[in-house]
Amino acid sequence: MGASFAKVSTNLPPSSSSTSSPLEDIPENCISIVFMYLDPPEICNLASLNHAFRSSSSADFVWESKLPSNYIFLLHRVLQLQQLTAHPKKEIFATLTRPSLFDHATKEFWLDKKSGENFISISSKALKITGIDDRRYWNYIPTDESRYGSVAYLKQIWWVEIGGELEFELPKGKYSVYFRVQLGKSSKKFGRRFIDVGEVHGWELKPVRFELSVSNNNNKNGQKVSSEFYLNQFGKWVLYKVGDFCIESPNFVAQIKFSMIQIDCTHTKGGLSVDSVFICPHHFKPTFSL
């Protein structure tokens, strides 16, 4: 068997460092067209093969096909860029995939690196919270469990009403809205996580109502949806789904309004941490760690 293997080996063409790879002979415009059918991570992996692939991977028309339909809006609204022609499309895509704070660092936007889909997070400081200015009821506490460095914490109140809104252009598709909240106040001592649930009360008596409405200037009625949940999971961040909405046409600036309400004044509620609101594609399944 060894002799047979040796015989086959001697029939192989001699290797030469001067022999170019067949891949080098593929025209760059053909490579670029193929890249349009691949996702961004695949393009970046193939770009490392040789010079032709690396050059083709930077073509503007390749990366424009990966950018969402609202990318010009994003450059103005999120990145505050005015001179768009000075930036290659590959650079624009890479920049938009990095989480970017906007609106005085109270909101954050990013594109998914693979699909190019839109994700938005809205901090508690961008929400309208009834009683937030009265330290007897609410205050902001620092924490490393929020991407914003702090959360709104409710000590005790009769009337809970938290709302917010966002005007934003989104690509066609179906989206979901979540509130990220926790029963209890988290902290760290000696590197370990501790949860204080001593002020948690009142949430088991009546459910919290979540509401969502989406409209534009041409359609004031728009879409409306609501949901109700009992808050009963202590000591961990939970994403409560408010509802879904659809964007049916491109270049549509949606007026998105959302709220969570518990206004039964027969009892007080307390011990609630409110971090943020999260807007994502409908098929995406978020986790508590967002």
Side-chain angles (χ1 to χ4, degrees), residues 35-49:
F35 280 168
M36 292 180 66
Y37 296 92
L38 304 178
D39 60 42
E42 291 172 331
I43 295 173
C44 293
N45 287 336
L46 289 173
S48 63
L49 288 178

Side-chain angles (χ1 to χ4, degrees), residues 66-84:
K66 309 306 173 188
L67 287 165
S69 61
N70 66 333
Y71 81 90
I72 293 178
F73 170 86
L74 297 174
L75 295 179
H76 291 299
R77 179 78 167 82
V78 177
L79 300 182
Q80 303 288 304
L81 293 179
Q82 303 301 326
Q83 300 297 325
L84 306 184

Side-chain angles (χ1 to χ4, degrees), residues 115-133:
S115 66
E117 293 176 302
N118 288 227
F119 290 79
I120 306 168
S121 174
I122 302 164
S123 79
S124 59
K125 289 189 176 180
L127 304 178
K128 184 178 180 180
I129 303 175
T130 300
I132 190 64
D133 295 324

Side-chain angles (χ1 to χ4, degrees), residues 74 102 107-110 118-122 148 166 168-170 256 277-281:
L74 297 174
F102 65 105
K107 302 179 181 74
E108 193 167 39
F109 174 89
W110 66 97
N118 288 227
F119 290 79
I120 306 168
S121 174
I122 302 164
Y148 301 101
L166 175 71
F168 211 82
E169 181 182 318
L170 291 166
I256 309 167
V277 171
F278 181 54
I279 302 175
C280 64

